[in-house]
């Protein structure tokens, strides 16, 4: 019931490269079966687009704090990508992510944080580490935070974290 490759698919070819391969199965009696050729086209590794708005009266994250990083973003941007100071997290350790927001209307505002643990370029539901739905106090310069632990079985690699703040009224 498990499939393992003896030679991994190469990952050092440019996007658009076509890779052809066959699957060979060896049974418990050393019987061998082989498939026809398969073709796989390498796709670029791209994260899903993130966006927001920067119109008058919109909500935004003014400051994001986690571990060794304190991004104090005073600009009202649609989307900001921080890569100058990576957030350093360790397996098994517990962390608190805190967002400070320009304004919250009425406790219907949400603060979410995801970590792409499997480096799939998607922020899956099981990678949501902070989910504060309808849990942001009303007013100016309000905060919300959540605590999470990095699973011990998390692969060691550089990946992305995404935080969002939104109103679902």
């Amino acid at each position: 019931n498990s499939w393992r490759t003896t030679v991994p698919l190469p990952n050092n070819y440019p996007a658009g490269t076509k890779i052809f391969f066959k699957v060979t199965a060896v049974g418990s009696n050393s019987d061998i079966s082989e498939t026809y050729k398969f073709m796989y086209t390498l796709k670029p590794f791209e994260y899903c687009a993130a966006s927001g708005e920067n119109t008058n009266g919109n909500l935004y994250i003014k400051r994001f704090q986690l571990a060794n990083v304190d991004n104090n973003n005073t600009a009202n941007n649609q989307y900001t990508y921080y890569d100058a100071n990576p957030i350093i997290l360790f397996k098994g350790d517990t962390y608190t992510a805190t967002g400070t927001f320009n304004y919250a209307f009425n406790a219907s505002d949400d603060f979410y944080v995801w970590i792409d643990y499997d480096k799939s370029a998607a922020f899956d539901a099981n990678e949501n580490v902070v989910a504060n739905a309808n849990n942001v106090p009303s007013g100016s310069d309000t905060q919300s935070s959540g605590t999470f632990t990095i699973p011990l079985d998390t692969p060691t690699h550089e990946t992305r974290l995404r935080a969002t703040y939104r109103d679902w009224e």
Side-chain angles (χ1 to χ4, degrees):
N1 289 335
S2 64
W3 300 88
R4 236 175 303 164
T5 179
T6 55
V7 179
L9 293 175
N11 62 1
N12 55 349
Y13 290 104
T17 301
K18 295 184 182 335
I19 296 176
F20 295 88
F21 62 95
K22 289 195 236 180
V23 176
T24 303
V26 179
S28 57
N29 296 325
S30 295
D31 49 325
I32 298 173
S33 66
E34 190 173 274
T35 66
Y36 292 102
K37 283 185 181 177
F38 288 101
M39 194 248 333
Y40 177 77
T41 302
L42 293 176
K43 296 187 171 140
F45 185 82
E46 297 175 335
Y47 279 93
C48 58
S51 65
E53 59 181 65
N54 62 350
T55 57
N56 188 24
N58 69 303
L59 304 174
Y60 62 95
I61 300 172
K62 288 177 67 173
R63 185 177 187 184
F64 181 79
Q65 299 165 282
L66 174 60
N68 62 303
V69 168
D70 184 352
N71 284 331
N72 195 2
N73 176 18
T74 57
N76 182 2
N77 295 325
Q78 292 180 340
Y79 174 72
T80 304
Y81 174 62
Y82 295 100
D83 63 347
N85 297 318
I87 300 171
I88 300 169
L89 306 174
F90 297 95
K91 296 178 190 183
D93 286 359
T94 300
Y95 298 94
T96 299
T98 301
T100 303
F101 318 109
N102 65 318
Y103 193 81
F105 289 106
N106 59 20
S108 67
D109 299 343
D110 305 331
F111 175 55
Y112 287 94
V113 177
W114 296 265
I115 297 176
D116 185 19
Y117 285 127
D118 62 2
K119 203 168 182 176
S120 64
F123 296 98
D124 301 315
N126 65 334
E127 297 174 323
N128 180 223
V129 296
V130 174
N132 288 345
N134 300 318
N135 192 22
V136 177
S138 298
S140 296
D141 293 326
T142 60
Q143 286 188 336
S144 185
S145 60
T147 301
F148 61 94
T149 301
I150 303 296
L152 290 171
D153 62 349
T154 301
T156 302
H157 58 252
E158 228 177 80
T159 192
R160 282 205 188 166
L161 173 146
R162 184 167 285 171
T164 186
Y165 174 55
R166 56 191 177 193
D167 177 38
W168 287 107
E169 277 193 301

